[in-house]
Amino acid sequence: MTNLDLFDSNGSGDKSDEQDESPSAAIRRLIELLNRWEHAYYVLDAPEVPDSEYDRVYQALQQLENSHPDLIQSDSPTQRVGGKPADGFEQVKHRVPMLSLGNAFDDSDVLAFDRRVKELADLPIDTTIAYAVDPKFDGLAISIHYKNGIFQQAITRGDGTVGEDVSTNVKTIRSLPLKLKGSKVPEHLEVRGEIFMFKKDFAQMNERQAELGLKVFANPRNAAAGTIRQLDPKIAASRPLRFYCYGAALERDQLRELKSQSAMMQWLSGMGLPVSELSQTALGAEGLLTFYRSVGERRSTLPFEIDGVVYKVDSFDLQDQLGYVAKAPRFAVAHKFPPDEVLSRLLNIEVQVGRTGSITPVAKLEPVKVGGVVVSSATLHNLDEIQRKDLRVGDQVLVRRAGDVIPEVLPFPGNQRSAGSCAFVMPTHCPICNSLVQKEEGEAAFRCTGGLVCKAQLTQSIIHFAHRRAIDIEGLGSKLVEVLVDKEWVKTPADLFRLEFDALVQLERMGEKSVRNLLDSIEKAKQTTFGRFLFGLGIRHVGEATARDLAAYFKNVDRLMSATIEELLEVNDVGPVVAESIRQFFDEPANQQVVRELISLGLAWTTEDTQTADESHPFFGKTFVLTGTLGHYSRDEAGALIIARGGKVTGSVSKKTDYLLAGEAAGSKLDKAAALGVTVLDESTFQGML
């Protein structure tokens, strides 16, 4: 369950039904949204939301994954650091991975971080830890390599392991020394820092862009990122980029000699590398909070944008003792600033229809700029939420963002409600198909009863069916699905397999090659797995993991469609609500007809995920946990191999775990496995057992 309700790229309410979705579906939805935002920011240079909104969604995803570790998926942003490199630049593997930082959002998080450092280091609770503290620049992370003191290469963060060689652009930054000062410059030095713009420089650049009829950037960070990814270095040279250093990837002998983060920063500054004057040391949690408040008070007067501060344990020996989790150091954390709030007016409340028929109210606001982003729409979640906040059309409201998933609408205490303000009334009929709207007992959500008669539900159902985690029809995007539904060429998922070349080629922006590629993808999608097929049907509460369990238990669709509630409850993780939802789906004659049509049109699945596993195989009946990065498989692929041989994959190590499969950069799960005496397999041993 999740109470998130997120925006799509055009600011309208997301069409997913967050009130009733399973944890698996919620995780999948958040992963897709975060990956879309990452692609837009890192690859397209066209951010859809502020970073603060990304942070909140990321935190929500982490919370869900912590509660359901067996549902963690390989393409989750929590399993990696950043976005993939863009085309057009040479890809370079980082000598030392560029890791992200964990986040703190309030004082209690900072106190918990300080306490955790002492516990992990086995220090007395009254020990005062020295920390190096810095502003958290709002720019583009970069790795700068120097050889014998001469600038050699600049690499973006990329996915943390592989980045883009942007040396020609970075060399144009005047604040970055191309030659280091001093007589004790190391033979090789890798500096880590941030590329950004001063606020005044950014404003002047945007004015020039507007005068020339060129792209105007949303914020300095986007401008810096977009500039560094220009293929023409002349563009980078013409823009006011700056660089600040916040650390270096040093060799062990260098760390031993320097001893601390603060000493390293003085050493780097002495070589001519720009370091923020705000950087200092702080003692204990109270010192961290004092620094945070001091910088927060100065934030608006600083020449550059920051979105928080960073705390690092100062001692390198203590840093080494604390170590890392899979994607972040245990010795550092980023403390984010609180949300922005801006006054607006609630002009109207409209409703939108999701895939499962959920009716979601959306606030239409007097446009306001909150944290650099213009907000004119925001979800209101459901009728109960509107009534709890006592929001009425015509009210003055507060719009909040930064640290939140989406712009949130709050009541304004100073609101002078006019006589013309009116309370929202949930429509009795669907705005799309005019079918009756009902509220199910025990639920907050209202639903359209139109089912596939409702084009809104049909469109989203087809998109879900074609998704790469379901049937996987490449090239069938949401816009094309909308066209196919509007033309009534597709009324059920089965109609996708009846599409013809002569009709499709007449559509706008569909050339012959595109149509052939789409039809080839549709044909290829006929060979699937039973679990993917079931997930694609969009049965309420049935996510990927449940679909896979149903497939493994029932083996074929006829047995599943005729299964009783009691039989369904025998399946792993299927409870009464899920069992009832499955039974209701297959009791509907129209759904049975769609399933029969899909099979008659050639959909078939391999027996790999339904065959009886060999009980003599060493994986049979064993419980695995996977951690780290494998060389020959993704974790999904390795998990599928285990499941196909009768094993089980979970997300957390416990006394019931038989094996931990550990790849590179294995984190705390490896420590816990060792403490519990769980057998640890490396990849070569795993392959031998396969």
Side-chain angles (χ1 to χ4, degrees):
M1 299 284 288
T2 174
N3 63 359
L4 300 174
D5 190 355
L6 308 170
F7 279 140
D8 60 23
S9 59
N10 63 10
S12 61
D14 181 75
K15 297 175 182 176
S16 58
D17 176 23
E18 61 284 348
Q19 290 297 320
D20 298 295
E21 63 188 348
S22 66
S24 177
I27 286 173
R28 184 68 247 160
R29 177 168 63 86
L30 297 185
I31 287 172
E32 290 172 2
L33 188 65
L34 288 167
N35 284 340
R36 190 186 81 193
W37 286 350
E38 283 191 343
H39 181 78
Y41 189 95
Y42 289 103
V43 180
L44 304 180
D45 292 330
E48 297 179 1
V49 294
D51 291 342
S52 53
E53 291 186 34
Y54 179 98
D55 288 340
R56 176 68 178 198
V57 181
Y58 188 97
Q59 187 183 37
L61 176 60
Q62 282 184 314
Q63 291 171 354
L64 278 170
E65 289 178 339
N66 289 339
S67 300
H68 306 279
D70 57 316
L71 300 180
I72 294 176
Q73 298 170 25
S74 63
D75 65 334
S76 170
T78 65
Q79 304 304 298
R80 58 180 183 149
V81 177
K84 67 179 183 179
D87 294 333
F89 294 101
E90 180 185 355
Q91 297 184 15
V92 181
K93 185 173 182 178
H94 289 294
R95 184 178 62 87
V96 178
M98 293 186 72
L99 302 179
S100 61
L101 295 177
N103 288 325
F105 291 96
D106 54 36
D107 289 5
S108 65
D109 291 337
V110 177
L111 296 174
F113 167 67
D114 181 62
R115 183 174 62 251
R116 190 163 58 248
V117 166
K118 298 172 190 176
E119 291 172 351
L120 290 170
D122 200 22
L123 295 171
I125 198 66
D126 59 351
T127 302
T128 300
I129 304 292
Y131 294 94
V133 292
D134 300 281
K136 187 176 181 299
F137 298 106
D138 198 16
L140 177 74
I142 198 79
S143 167
I144 311 289
H145 290 256
Y146 289 89
K147 187 172 183 179
N148 296 318
I150 304 298
F151 175 91
Q152 183 184 36
Q153 192 176 38
I155 308 169
T156 63
R157 181 194 295 276
D159 64 2
T161 301
V162 177
E164 307 148 350
D165 186 339
V166 291
S167 303
T168 54
N169 286 337
V170 172
K171 283 179 68 175
T172 67
I173 302 174
R174 294 186 179 274
S175 60
L176 176 72
L178 298 182
K179 182 178 180 179
L180 300 179
K181 297 189 300 183
S183 58
K184 295 184 179 181
V185 174
E187 179 181 355
H188 181 271
L189 177 64
E190 181 184 351
V191 175
R192 300 284 173 83
E194 201 88 2
I195 295 173
F196 62 100
M197 291 184 183
F198 276 6
K199 296 175 185 175
K200 62 179 180 60
D201 295 334
F202 168 75
Q204 291 169 0
M205 185 192 72
N206 255 355
E207 288 176 6
R208 290 195 302 270
Q209 293 284 105
E211 289 171 0
L212 296 172
L214 300 175
K215 175 181 178 180
V216 174
F217 292 95
N219 52 58
R221 180 175 185 175
N222 176 230
T227 299
I228 288 300
R229 287 181 172 83
Q230 294 291 327
L231 294 177
D232 184 358
K234 292 179 182 177
I235 296 176
S238 70
R239 292 180 179 171
L241 296 174
R242 297 173 185 264
F243 170 79
Y244 268 172
C245 172
Y246 56 66
L250 301 181
E251 302 295 340
R252 283 195 173 273
D253 59 341
Q254 294 172 316
L255 294 172
R256 283 194 295 269
E257 182 178 348
L258 291 169
K259 296 184 179 180
S260 70
Q261 177 78 20
S262 55
M264 179 180 69
M265 296 307 294
Q266 291 178 7
W267 177 63
L268 294 171
S269 178
M271 287 187 283
L273 289 158
V275 174
S276 171
E277 63 180 11
L278 296 175
S279 298
Q280 55 185 269
T281 55
L283 297 178
E286 191 56 43
L288 297 180
L289 294 174
T290 299
F291 176 74
Y292 173 81
R293 293 170 188 136
S294 172
V295 174
E297 290 172 359
R298 297 176 56 186
R299 182 183 179 190
S300 62
T301 64
L302 293 175
F304 43 79
E305 294 283 357
I306 59 174
D307 57 3
V309 296
V310 175
Y311 311 136
K312 299 175 186 174
V313 170
D314 197 33
S315 165
F316 284 149
D317 284 343
L318 188 50
Q319 285 188 14
D320 188 57
Q321 185 179 349
L322 293 168
Y324 300 80
V325 292
K327 69 177 188 64
R330 290 192 178 101
F331 54 80
V333 71
H335 190 178
K336 296 297 189 74
F337 285 124
D340 295 328
E341 291 182 349
V342 175
L343 196 63
S344 181
R345 188 170 296 279
L346 183 56
L347 302 178
N348 197 12
I349 299 178
E350 300 177 357
V351 296
Q352 295 181 332
V353 186
R355 177 174 64 85
T356 59
S358 62
I359 305 293
T360 302
V362 177
K364 295 301 176 181
L365 302 162
E366 193 172 81
V368 289
K369 196 169 186 178
V370 191
V373 176
V374 176
V375 177
S376 59
S377 296
T379 181
L380 297 174
H381 301 288
N382 53 57
L383 181 60
D384 291 348
E385 183 75 359
I386 295 172
Q387 293 175 341
R388 183 184 68 81
K389 294 179 177 178
D390 190 25
L391 297 175
R392 301 188 185 186
V393 174
D395 282 355
Q396 281 189 306
V397 293
L398 291 173
V399 182
R400 170 191 290 174
R401 68 146 222 97
D404 294 327
V405 174
I406 53 162
E408 181 185 6
V409 179
L410 301 169
F412 173 51
N415 175 50
Q416 299 295 319
R417 182 164 283 160
S418 66
S421 66
C422 57
F424 171 72
V425 178
M426 184 64 71
T428 58
H429 290 79
C430 173
I432 305 299
C433 68
N434 204 39
S435 296
L436 191 65
V437 169
Q438 293 181 338
K439 182 180 180 182
E440 295 185 17
E441 187 176 350
E443 293 190 353
F446 286 74
R447 295 184 184 282
C448 164
T449 59
L452 295 184
V453 172
C454 179
K455 284 188 176 181
Q457 294 182 64
L458 174 58
T459 298
Q460 293 303 311
S461 295
I462 298 298
I463 292 170
H464 174 81
F465 179 79
H467 192 273
R468 65 183 182 86
R469 308 290 286 196
I471 298 300
D472 190 17
I473 300 179
E474 188 175 348
L476 188 65
S478 58
K479 296 297 183 184
L480 179 55
V481 172
E482 290 175 4
V483 171
L484 297 175
V485 170
D486 284 342
K487 288 183 173 293
E488 299 188 350
W489 292 357
V490 173
K491 297 180 179 179
T492 75
D495 289 334
L496 292 172
F497 298 90
R498 299 188 177 100
L499 294 172
E500 296 180 351
F501 178 90
D502 290 343
L504 290 172
V505 81
Q506 302 300 318
L507 296 177
E508 187 178 352
R509 297 183 182 178
M510 288 294 287
E512 292 186 7
K513 184 177 180 180
S514 297
V515 172
R516 289 195 183 95
N517 288 341
L518 175 60
L519 292 177
D520 287 346
S521 182
I522 291 173
E523 187 64 27
K524 180 181 177 182
K526 289 181 179 179
Q527 296 302 312
T528 184
T529 67
F530 190 17
R532 282 174 169 267
F533 177 80
L534 293 177
F535 177 60
L537 292 178
I539 305 168
R540 279 185 69 199
H541 307 302
V542 175
E544 289 180 78
T546 303
R548 189 169 59 239
D549 288 341
L550 289 168
Y553 186 88
F554 287 102
K555 315 296 184 189
N556 66 68
V557 73
D558 290 318
R559 282 191 60 202
L560 175 58
M561 286 202 298
S562 61
T564 64
I565 293 290
E566 290 71 22
E567 289 173 321
L568 290 168
L569 290 173
E570 294 295 320
V571 179
N572 181 47
D573 290 335
V574 172
V577 173
V578 178
E580 183 64 33
S581 179
I582 296 168
R583 191 62 270 149
Q584 287 178 355
F585 181 88
F586 287 117
D587 282 342
E588 176 58 50
N591 293 334
Q592 294 180 23
Q593 178 65 23
V594 169
V595 171
R596 299 294 184 201
E597 286 182 14
L598 286 167
I599 293 173
S600 69
L601 287 164
L603 260 78
W605 38 86
T606 62
T607 58
E608 181 180 350
D609 64 338
T610 59
Q611 64 188 5
T612 301
D614 180 3
E615 295 188 18
S616 66
H617 196 279
F619 289 177
F620 187 86
K622 303 297 183 182
T623 299
F624 283 73
V625 173
L626 281 59
T627 187
T629 303
L630 302 175
H632 293 83
Y633 317 96
S634 69
R635 293 212 294 231
D636 272 357
E637 291 168 342
L641 291 170
I642 293 166
I643 292 167
R645 287 154 179 78
K648 182 180 180 181
V649 178
T650 63
S652 57
V653 177
S654 70
K655 293 179 180 179
K656 296 181 180 180
T657 304
D658 296 295
Y659 296 112
L660 176 76
L661 174 56
E664 292 185 13
S668 58
K669 291 178 183 177
L670 185 60
D671 298 334
K672 189 171 183 180
L676 294 175
V678 173
T679 301
V680 178
L681 305 177
D682 60 20
E683 191 166 359
S684 61
T685 305
F686 174 75
Q687 288 178 305
M689 294 174 71
L690 273 175

